[in-house]
């Protein structure tokens, strides 16, 4: 298991353990308090638990060996499961919460035992903060000093991105639910609880939208992160057998990477010498980036800079 995969798995288990306990506590509180906002939060935590199971399934499937039908392996299957998670977060978490809030607006019910809701929300905040802390630890290990928002936009680790997004949405939702319950108690008006449920649902759908947008880009086919692309280009051009890179294409394939290089080579004495030079460059790339499982190298002339270049092979 790679370091990145191990970090993602840790973050998922942090989240699964935290959300399992939170969901049970919230359902109990929703039952005793008749709070719509609390029920919305309970449904959200249940959806999060299902989501984490989906992500673990995706990571396991991604490790399947290549076969005749999938010669490049199953690495990108994690993107499918990440999309399933985002859709579940949107519909089961967000849309259900909004529907529940609208229903409570039409038929408001007074809260019962509000102290129970407050205590459970406090415990939930602590557990959710623990889950987010675990995810942020893993993100900091791989972010290379980037801000969280930049990392979120540029990362190719869909599973870790989803966990972080879920945790942020959960903490924001808990804060809204807490305020809604307190306002309902202080004013004696259960409408605040219904409004809280709608706002929680809106937050979940907003986070799900951003996650869906990022995962869609991964499914469509994204290059490696910009700094990785640049580092690969500089590494190739620093090799003594390479004059310069004409074109470089990278494609993220789950944890693995596909690299296609079109480069102008230094003159070689024979076709065998050119082949040996290309193999040497490819080996150096894969030594530097072990995740680069596929490396396709094409020697060519750069007609934009050298019309007269002609290989002796």
């Amino acid at each position: 298991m790679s370091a990145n995969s191990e970090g993602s798995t840790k973050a998922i288990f942090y989240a699964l353990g935290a959300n399992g306990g939170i969901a049970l506590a919230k359902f109990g509180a929703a039952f005793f308090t008749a709070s719509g906002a609390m029920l919305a939060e309970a449904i959200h935590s249940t959806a999060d638990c299902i989501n984490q199971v989906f992500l673990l399934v995706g990571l396991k499937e991604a490790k399947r060996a290549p076969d005749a039908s999938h010669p490049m392996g199953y690495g990108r299957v994690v993107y499918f499961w990440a999309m399933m998670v985002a859709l579940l977060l949107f519909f089961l978490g967000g849309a259900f919460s909004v529907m529940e809030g609208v229903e409570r607006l039409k038929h408001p019910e007074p809260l019962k035992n509000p102290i129970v809701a407050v205590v459970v929300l406090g415990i939930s905040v602590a557990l959710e903060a623990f889950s987010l802390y675990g995810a942020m630890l893993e993100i900091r290990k791989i972010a290379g000093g980037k801000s969280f928002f930049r990392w979120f936009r540029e990362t190719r680790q869909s599973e870790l991105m989803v966990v972080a997004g879920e945790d942020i949405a959960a903490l924001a939702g808990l804060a809204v639910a807490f305020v809604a319950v307190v306002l309902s108690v202080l004013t004696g008006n259960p409408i605040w609880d219904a409004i809280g449920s709608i706002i929680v649902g809106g937050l979940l759908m907003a986070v799900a939208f951003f996650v869906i947008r990022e995962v869609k880009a991964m499914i469509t086919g994204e290059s490696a992160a910009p700094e990785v692309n640049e580092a690969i280009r500089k590494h190739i051009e620093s090799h003594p057998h390479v004059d310069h890179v004409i074109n470089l294409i990278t494609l993220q394939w789950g944890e693995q990477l596909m690299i296609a290089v079109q480069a102008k080579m230094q003159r070689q004495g024979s076709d065998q010498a050119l082949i040996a030079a290309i193999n040497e460059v490819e080996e150096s790339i894969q030594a530097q980036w072990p995740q680069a499982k596929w490396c396709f190298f094409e020697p060519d002339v750069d007609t934009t800079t050298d019309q007269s270049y002609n290989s002796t092979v």
Side-chain angles (χ1 to χ4, degrees), residues 14 21 54 61 77 94 108 115 118 123 155 157 175-176 197 228-229 267 312:
Y14 283 143
F54 279 177
E61 283 194 3
V77 75
I115 190 64
V118 172
I123 295 172
T155 185
Q157 283 189 262
V176 170
S197 180
V228 175
N229 254 11
R267 293 181 181 274
T312 59

Side-chain angles (χ1 to χ4, degrees), residues 9-140:
T9 303
K10 284 181 182 178
I12 293 170
F13 275 114
Y14 283 143
L16 182 58
N19 285 315
I22 291 171
L24 291 175
K26 286 177 181 176
F27 273 118
F31 176 78
F32 283 109
T33 63
S35 167
M38 186 60 70
L39 179 60
E41 278 292 314
I43 295 296
H44 167 211
S45 294
T46 302
D48 281 352
C49 290
I50 299 172
N51 289 345
Q52 271 98 55
V53 172
F54 279 177
L55 292 175
L56 290 171
V57 169
L59 287 175
K60 182 177 180 181
E61 283 194 3
K63 300 186 188 313
R64 291 174 61 184
D67 53 36
S69 299
H70 299 84
M72 296 182 73
Y74 292 81
R76 292 179 70 182
V77 75
V78 295
Y79 301 153
F80 165 79
W81 287 107
M83 182 63 79
M84 292 292 290
V85 166
L87 292 173
L88 190 65
L89 182 65
F90 186 94
F91 289 107
L92 184 56
F96 181 87
S97 297
V98 171
M99 291 170 58
E100 178 65 20
V102 170
E103 183 63 24
R104 297 283 175 147
L105 279 176
K106 294 179 180 177
H107 308 287
E109 297 180 14
L111 297 184
K112 306 170 187 175
N113 303 313
I115 190 64
V116 175
V118 172
V119 171
V120 168
L121 285 170
I123 295 172
S124 299
V125 166
L127 290 173
E128 203 65 66
F130 167 76
S131 174
L132 181 58
Y133 174 74
M136 294 304 292
L137 277 180
E138 301 305 326
I139 289 171
R140 279 198 292 269

Side-chain angles (χ1 to χ4, degrees), residues 264-268 300-302 306-312:
K264 177 180 176 181
M265 302 292 289
Q266 299 290 355
R267 293 181 181 274
Q268 305 296 321
D300 207 343
V301 295
D302 189 350
D306 187 0
Q307 295 288 343
S308 64
Y309 176 78
N310 185 23
S311 174
T312 59

Side-chain angles (χ1 to χ4, degrees), residues 231-286:
I232 292 173
R233 179 181 292 273
K234 288 181 177 178
H235 175 83
I236 296 171
E237 291 188 332
S238 69
H239 199 281
H241 292 312
V242 178
D243 185 283
H244 66 272
V245 172
I246 301 171
N247 193 23
L248 172 66
I249 296 174
T250 61
L251 180 63
Q252 196 70 43
W253 203 271
E255 286 186 15
Q256 297 171 338
L257 191 62
M258 186 276 286
I259 300 174
V261 183
Q262 184 185 29
K264 177 180 176 181
M265 302 292 289
Q266 299 290 355
R267 293 181 181 274
Q268 305 296 321
S270 66
D271 57 349
Q272 293 299 317
L274 178 60
I275 292 171
I278 291 172
N279 288 339
E280 187 177 323
V281 176
E282 288 181 337
E283 288 170 5
S284 71
I285 294 172
Q286 291 177 310

Side-chain angles (χ1 to χ4, degrees), residues 135-170:
M136 294 304 292
L137 277 180
E138 301 305 326
I139 289 171
R140 279 198 292 269
K141 291 178 183 177
I142 62 175
K146 297 178 185 177
S147 68
F148 173 78
F149 293 104
R150 182 182 171 194
W151 172 86
F152 190 90
R153 290 300 309 275
E154 295 182 357
T155 185
R156 305 305 189 250
Q157 283 189 262
S158 58
E159 64 283 354
L160 191 52
M161 177 190 68
V162 168
V163 170
E166 282 183 342
D167 288 344
I168 291 170

Side-chain angles (χ1 to χ4, degrees), residues 164-199:
E166 282 183 342
D167 288 344
I168 291 170
L171 278 175
L174 287 168
V176 170
F178 180 85
V179 172
V181 170
V182 170
L183 286 175
S184 294
V185 172
L186 293 178
T187 64
N189 188 348
I191 294 299
W192 288 109
D193 182 65
I195 293 173
S197 180
I198 293 172
I199 293 174

